[in-house]
Amino acid sequence: MAIDIKLFQKIILENKSFILTTHVNPDGDAIGSVIAMANFLLQMGKNVSIINCSETPKNYIFLDKEKKIEKYETSLDKKILSCDVIMVLDTNSGSRLKSMENIVKTSTAKKIIIDHHLDEENFCDFYFTDTSLASTGEIVYNLISSMTEKFDFNESISTSLYTAIMTDTGSFRYPRTTDKTFFIAADLISKGASPTSTYENVYENWSLGKISLLGKMLSQIKFFCENKIAISFCSKQNFIETNTNEIATDGFTSYLMSIENIKIGILINELNDGVKISFRSKGEIAVNEFAKKFAGGGHKNASGARVFDIRLDEFLPKLISEIENFYNNKL
Ligand SMILES: [Mn+2]
């Protein structure tokens, strides 16, 4: 679907109060996109709140210098019900708003999705989506760049969007990274984003617990289908022993995918009420097809699923036989 920039401009100009939100366990694209959009809207003279269902992960707090992001609680319902526009960024699914899903769906505000994921859910009024782009940050860049004469494309906006793009492209290497991605990144650098300090802030701050958890995850890798598939996990016990939680596993799948000749990497996190699975693949292997077996979804090379009320030791053998079947059928 082509993005209707004129429609976006009209919505901005005709409305006064905006609430921005994004998905549970927000990543760099989620936080970067909401911060950049909020900064833009504030400069346009709007009333803006950012309300998220999750806390901001600590490596993205540097983007929220003015502490604009509020964690959702029911006392904010009135605000959500009475605003003019709710913008949902970096997800197209109500369920990914978790505790906020109901109130967002109940609100009679105009609802907007700005996103790059597949399998759109129809619960909003306006969609600014492009699944060919690597990040929501690029869509935000394209939308607000159409109004540059009306606001200052400052360092905070540039750094936020650079973070969004850097993280969702895996530092400019995932398949949807194109020449356009680099042109946008170059422009953001010219407007103040620093590749060095952004990378340091986002990636070079792992806690000792996270490093220990990574060690356990690496030592637990099992290989299948002639070492083309790597599966590992972080068990409840692993989290307890390293004093971490599932947020610490961000970035772990790239270790699975860095193994020679690997085609599919799977990381399972054992949570209190079930398991959360991340699927990664290379080339034409569409792991989002596989994720559907577990009611999950996502992109061709990066998908996820959530299975409730199952222990890791029950889930693992099921997953292994399913993935072997899936892979062998692809050959
Ligand atoms: Mn994204």
Side-chain angles (χ1 to χ4, degrees):
M1 193 175 17
I3 288 183
D4 188 344
I5 288 181
K6 285 268 173 311
L7 176 63
F8 176 78
Q9 294 176 346
K10 188 164 145 36
I11 293 167
I12 301 305
L13 296 173
E14 289 179 356
N15 293 282
K16 180 73 186 158
S17 59
F18 291 75
I19 287 184
L20 313 185
T21 191
T22 187
H23 55 79
V24 62
N25 299 334
D27 53 18
D29 192 24
I31 299 295
S33 295
V34 292
I35 293 284
M37 185 60 84
N39 193 314
F40 158 75
L41 289 169
L42 282 167
Q43 291 193 52
M44 296 293 290
K46 309 299 174 182
N47 296 328
V48 186
S49 299
I50 308 173
I51 304 174
N52 290 344
C53 61
S54 300
E55 300 275 357
T56 303
K58 98 177 185 281
N59 58 327
Y60 299 121
I61 289 175
F62 78 102
L63 295 174
D64 188 16
K65 286 198 182 64
E66 285 154 52
K67 300 202 171 18
K68 288 195 192 83
I69 299 178
E70 297 173 83
K71 168 99 191 286
Y72 172 70
E73 41 187 82
T74 48
S75 61
L76 295 165
D77 283 356
K78 231 174 116 186
K79 204 160 155 183
I80 297 173
L81 292 172
S82 64
C83 70
D84 298 329
V85 178
I86 299 174
M87 270 191 199
V88 178
L89 292 104
D90 200 39
T91 180
N92 55 30
S93 140
S95 68
R96 298 260 292 148
L97 303 179
K98 292 285 165 184
S99 56
M100 289 178 68
E101 178 178 10
N102 256 323
I103 193 71
V104 167
K105 287 188 172 170
T106 309
S107 175
T108 53
K110 293 178 201 75
K111 289 164 213 160
I112 295 179
I113 296 275
I114 299 178
D115 184 47
H116 66 130
H117 292 89
L118 300 168
D119 304 324
E120 201 160 87
E121 185 191 326
N122 187 10
F123 72 106
C124 288
D125 304 295
F126 303 105
Y127 289 79
F128 300 95
T129 62
D130 187 342
T131 58
S132 75
L133 296 180
S135 62
T136 298
E138 287 159 87
I139 305 176
V140 172
Y141 172 91
N142 290 331
L143 289 171
I144 69 175
S145 289
S146 71
M147 302 175 92
T148 37
E149 71 285 358
K150 294 192 165 68
F151 73 101
D152 174 23
F153 208 122
N154 57 27
E155 190 195 320
S156 166
I157 296 179
S158 307
T159 301
S160 299
L161 293 180
Y162 185 88
T163 302
I165 296 168
M166 179 188 78
T167 53
D168 257 26
T169 56
S171 304
F172 303 96
R173 70 200 155 93
Y174 291 161
R176 286 182 293 173
T177 308
T178 64
D179 54 344
K180 288 199 192 76
T181 320
F182 279 95
F183 278 116
I184 293 173
D187 190 39
L188 295 172
I189 292 169
S190 80
K191 292 177 161 72
S194 160
T196 311
S197 69
T198 306
Y199 191 94
E200 282 174 7
N201 278 315
V202 173
Y203 292 121
E204 296 180 340
N205 58 4
W206 286 19
S207 66
L208 296 185
K210 178 164 174 155
I211 291 288
S212 313
L213 184 67
L214 174 65
K216 290 180 192 292
M217 187 284 281
L218 293 174
S219 70
Q220 290 161 176
I221 301 177
K222 297 268 181 295
F223 292 94
F224 303 90
C225 298
E226 296 168 331
N227 302 336
K228 298 285 197 301
I229 301 175
I231 302 181
S232 191
F233 58 84
C234 296
S235 67
K236 273 200 267 191
Q237 191 59 31
N238 294 154
F239 289 124
I240 292 167
E241 284 166 4
T242 56
N243 192 24
T244 56
N245 57 40
E246 62 156 331
I247 294 168
T249 65
D250 184 41
F252 282 12
T253 50
S254 62
Y255 288 87
L256 301 176
M257 300 316 288
S258 68
I259 300 163
E260 184 181 28
N261 296 324
I262 214 73
K263 295 288 183 209
I264 298 175
I266 302 178
L267 178 69
I268 309 162
N269 288 332
E270 187 180 33
L271 308 178
N272 285 328
D273 57 355
V275 293
K276 193 173 153 187
I277 317 116
S278 298
F279 304 99
R280 297 290 181 274
S281 64
K282 287 193 175 156
E284 287 310 304
I285 298 173
V287 276
N288 52 352
E289 256 175 60
F290 182 71
K292 282 184 193 151
K293 286 189 200 298
F294 303 98
H299 302 298
K300 186 169 85 176
N301 297 126
S303 317
R306 183 82 166 81
V307 181
F308 291 94
D309 301 322
I310 194 160
R311 290 193 319 267
L312 178 65
D313 60 323
E314 295 171 289
F315 180 72
L316 203 49
K318 258 166 87 163
L319 174 84
I320 291 167
S321 80
E322 293 272 9
I323 193 72
E324 284 180 325
N325 274 334
F326 174 81
Y327 183 74
N328 289 327
N329 284 333
K330 296 277 153 202
L331 293 182

